[in-house]
Amino acid sequence: MNTNKLNYLIFYLFIFLFFVVSLVPFQILDIRFLNFPFHYYFIGIFVFLLLILSIIQSFYISTFDKWIIFVILGFSLSLISSINRIHTIRVLSGFLLKGICIAYITERISHYKSESAIKILLICASLVASFGLTEYFFKWDLYPRPRNWPYFMIRSTIGNPLPFAAYLVLFFPLSVWYLENERKIIKYLPFLLITFAIIFSFSRSSWISLFCVIIIFYSDRQNLKNVKKNIRYIIILIIVIFASFVLMTKPVKEYFNYKFNVKMFNSAYLGNRLSFRHRLKSYKTTLNIIKDYPFFGVGLGNYPKIHEKYMVEGVRRDIKTPDNMYLRLLCDIGIVGTTVFFISIGYWMLQLWKSRNNILILAIFSGLAGFLINQTMADLMLWTAPQFAFWMLLGYGVGNLKENELKNSF
């Protein structure tokens, strides 16, 4: 097959898969075949096909591929002390399909229509945001709403306000990059949709992450000298935030006051699952697990199975998460696997930061950094869409490093 035709096929198959993962609520739809979720088969077949085509396109082992193998080995070591090896194998398979393999594929195809691809991905993220905003303002759902969930708690296609906002944080700096590289008036649409959606998600962790993303994106930049241009975007952001509060209805404002009341730190608010006290108790629970399974953990994905046995007083039995991805990893894959994860991600984040003179790479780096910051307050990397988007953007970022080095060499 002609190389250009093969690139064309891989590119559009991958774009299609990303749209499906982002716009179809797999996390909520309980469709199973042979006791496995249907989307495991769907994503698995697509990813396997893309892997084969990517290998045919360019059969070589890059430095990034070696690091990927390193990560797979680190996570696989959790099988040694896993309390349920069958479940760990299933979760590892999902981690490969929705994460590692996605990074491998995107790193391979990143040179093909790179900027066009990012713009198409932004369209998809904007659609996810628009579904959430439609739900918020018009009380309309794509699928049945859980009992007792008020309409201002956005689910969109992701299924929950927290992963919904984390997913959009990944794309926020790319929407700013689009503002700076597009002349048509439509350039404001992704920025406005994504920003409004993050604000109306009422995810405190994502608000903090968004603030960090803005600081990272506008730090140490060559075009920071163009003060007027950057001030214009900052003013637009302030207007959007102010407009968001003006547009809040009375029930939403009451909910906002409840969520952001300083009394949440008091013992009387212990019932609030996101309270400071609850998080501290959850952290103690993870410490108990790590003491018994320090090196290789209880097996990837097994934290919920062992939560009740190790939970301390003050932690709700039905909330089987420490609300911290890194503590979750320490419990699931132990010190060894978590160290491998941090070394690998840290290495490539450092490489991206070194090439921050390229605004597209800086935008990708900022989004990835914001998502990683978000994981200190939630464990959202196991949700299909955010997980897929994170590894995809990492692959695109690493792939663009080569292009950036070639440009700087001339």
Side-chain angles (χ1 to χ4, degrees), residues 14 18 102-103 106 118 121 167 169-174 352 360-361 363-365 367-368 371 386-400:
F14 183 82
F18 177 70
I102 300 304
T106 49
I118 295 298
L121 298 177
Y167 170 93
V169 164
L170 280 163
F171 291 97
F172 173 81
L174 288 170
L352 292 174
L360 177 58
I361 291 178
I364 292 174
F365 171 87
L368 293 173
F371 185 79
Q387 181 184 27
F388 191 106
F390 172 82
W391 291 101
M392 175 192 69
L393 290 177
L394 179 64
Y396 261 109
V398 172
N400 275 276

Side-chain angles (χ1 to χ4, degrees), residues 138-155:
F138 300 101
K139 299 183 178 180
W140 174 78
D141 284 317
L142 289 169
Y143 44 90
R145 176 169 289 269
R147 187 178 298 176
N148 299 325
W149 270 49
Y151 268 96
F152 52 77
M153 291 185 69
I154 296 176
R155 302 171 75 204

Side-chain angles (χ1 to χ4, degrees), residues 245-291:
F245 285 98
V246 171
L247 292 170
M248 284 183 189
T249 60
K250 186 177 179 181
V252 178
K253 288 179 180 177
E254 290 175 353
Y255 176 75
F256 177 83
N257 290 333
Y258 166 72
K259 290 275 285 185
F260 296 90
N261 197 313
V262 292
K263 292 181 179 178
M264 64 176 280
F265 296 102
N266 295 340
S267 58
Y269 277 67
L270 188 59
N272 182 351
R273 61 170 291 181
L274 295 176
S275 70
F276 182 68
R277 275 181 169 272
H278 172 78
R279 287 179 181 275
L280 283 181
K281 296 293 184 180
S282 296
Y283 298 164
K284 289 181 180 179
T285 298
T286 59
L287 182 61
N288 291 338
I289 298 172
I290 295 167
K291 285 179 180 178

Side-chain angles (χ1 to χ4, degrees), residues 216-228:
I216 293 169
F217 188 72
Y218 283 109
S219 65
D220 193 27
R221 292 183 56 191
Q222 291 181 355
N223 68 342
L224 192 59
K225 297 175 182 178
N226 191 348
V227 178
K228 291 183 180 179

Side-chain angles (χ1 to χ4, degrees), residues 372-392:
L372 291 171
I373 291 169
N374 206 336
Q375 300 315 294
T376 62
M377 295 165 275
D379 50 352
L380 307 174
M381 200 172 277
L382 299 178
W383 285 73
T384 301
Q387 181 184 27
F388 191 106
F390 172 82
W391 291 101
M392 175 192 69

